[in-house]
Amino acid sequence: MSNALKADLHDHEPSIEEKLAAVNDTTRSALVSTMLAPRFYTTDFDEMDKIDVEPVRAEWDALIAQMRSDPNRGHFRRNADWDDININDLEPALREELIDFLVSSLTSEFSGCVLYKEMKRRGTNKEICELFGYMSRDESRHASFINDALKDFGIGVNMGFLAKAKKYTYFKPKFIYYATYLSEKIGYARYITIFRHLEKNPDRRFHPIFKWFRQWCNDEFSHGEAFSLIIRSDERLLQGVNKLWIKFFLLAVFATMYVRDHMRPAFHAAMGVDIDDYDMRVFRLTSEISRQCFPLVLDLDNPALCEGFRRMERINRRIIAAKQRGGVVGAVTKTWWAAAAAGNFLRMYMIPAKANAIPATSRLLPVW
């Protein structure tokens, strides 16, 4: 082989397309960006660097001391409680939905890790950088632990490639605060609800990772506490037009969870969980927690809101059917139902919310 050819081969940097061809289907599925799939975010890090926590100083110092102590150090390691399973022993629908759940959870956790790590890297505000360093540490553990479970099945995600190839969505810092606060708190509510249910029904625990959910959800809870304090540190984030944004994110996060959960019927059936009941329990817990920093909550007792969630799920099934049909007719049908989803969301948004008096202190403890 000539030296010139050797140099050409050595100097060739594989394109994203070439790298994509080399990764597995699990990594490809994690790369997909849709309205329902977890996204990667970027923001104005210089603006976030200006956060002033003095208005919430006492609560902030207590939270940082807790996170600095790293109470979950050593938790995300396998021990005698980890039961080896053969994924091929699961029913095909359950196998597919379990993998979807694990990949979606990994992507969500790794998304937080990437965002928080970037803030720590680019920031100069020592207090904010310290916080994001701890949260990045936690989310990295979560994502790696899930990936180890996927590797058991020979389908681990290439997280380094994912960080480089996944599309990033720009959000203003305040949108990051609202969305991430809710993501962390609803994550806590989901994990603790599943953990408590399977604690009472161990015969329904079809994967050992569920045994790790209690301490896991406590990390989610403390991360939400941090964003609650960030939001409360600037009263402008809770006033005026920002109330409309808070309502938007509450509804968007709840509707996304409702639709996504209904796409995993075999997963929830295997756990012995009624999806509607489970989702409403999670919504009520998350809504109650969000009273710590939001000036309003959704009216979950309003039948029109509940019907709106159900209608959104039906519309989503029609969108999926249109995608599968393909062609011009499929594309037109998909556009029609996407517009119907937007109209349904607007109708749900117009349902009056309930006002909430924000308490004098924010900190909560995960005792539910």
Side-chain angles (χ1 to χ4, degrees), residues 161-203:
F161 177 76
L162 183 63
K164 294 178 181 178
K166 179 90 169 176
K167 291 182 180 180
Y168 285 72
T169 300
Y170 177 84
F171 261 16
K172 290 182 178 181
K174 67 178 180 181
F175 297 160
I176 292 286
Y177 306 154
Y178 301 145
T180 309
Y181 168 75
L182 284 169
S183 175
E184 299 285 4
K185 289 303 189 183
I186 206 169
Y188 164 79
R190 287 168 59 84
Y191 287 168
I192 196 60
T193 301
I194 290 174
F195 179 84
R196 295 304 184 199
H197 171 76
L198 294 179
E199 189 177 43
K200 296 176 183 176
N201 302 277
D203 59 307

Side-chain angles (χ1 to χ4, degrees), residues 1 7 74 108 116 203 233-234 253 268 304 361:
M1 182 181 292
S108 180
Y116 303 154
D203 59 307
S233 71
D234 185 351
V253 169
H268 291 89
T361 56

Side-chain angles (χ1 to χ4, degrees), residues 47-61 125 127-128 131-132 173-174 177-178 181 224-239 242 292-294 358-363:
E47 183 177 336
M48 292 182 72
D49 206 37
K50 298 174 184 176
I51 296 171
D52 180 9
V53 299
E54 281 306 317
V56 291
R57 170 57 63 190
E59 294 178 90
W60 180 271
D61 288 346
N125 185 325
E127 291 184 309
I128 300 304
L131 166 69
F132 283 106
K174 67 178 180 181
Y177 306 154
Y178 301 145
Y181 168 75
E225 292 297 284
F227 279 102
S228 169
L229 293 175
I230 288 174
I231 292 170
R232 288 173 60 108
S233 71
D234 185 351
E235 61 182 14
R236 294 172 299 178
L237 296 173
L238 302 169
Q239 300 172 348
N242 286 325
Q292 71 180 148
C293 70
F294 282 170
I358 300 175
T361 56
S362 172
R363 289 295 308 282

Side-chain angles (χ1 to χ4, degrees), residues 239-256:
Q239 300 172 348
V241 70
N242 286 325
K243 289 184 178 181
L244 302 179
W245 282 116
I246 288 170
K247 184 178 180 181
F248 171 86
F249 280 102
L250 276 166
L251 184 57
V253 169
F254 285 10
T256 298

Side-chain angles (χ1 to χ4, degrees), residues 63-77:
L63 177 64
I64 292 299
Q66 173 195 317
M67 298 181 79
R68 187 182 296 130
S69 70
D70 195 7
N72 270 349
R73 182 191 300 113
H75 174 65
F76 296 98
R77 297 174 185 169

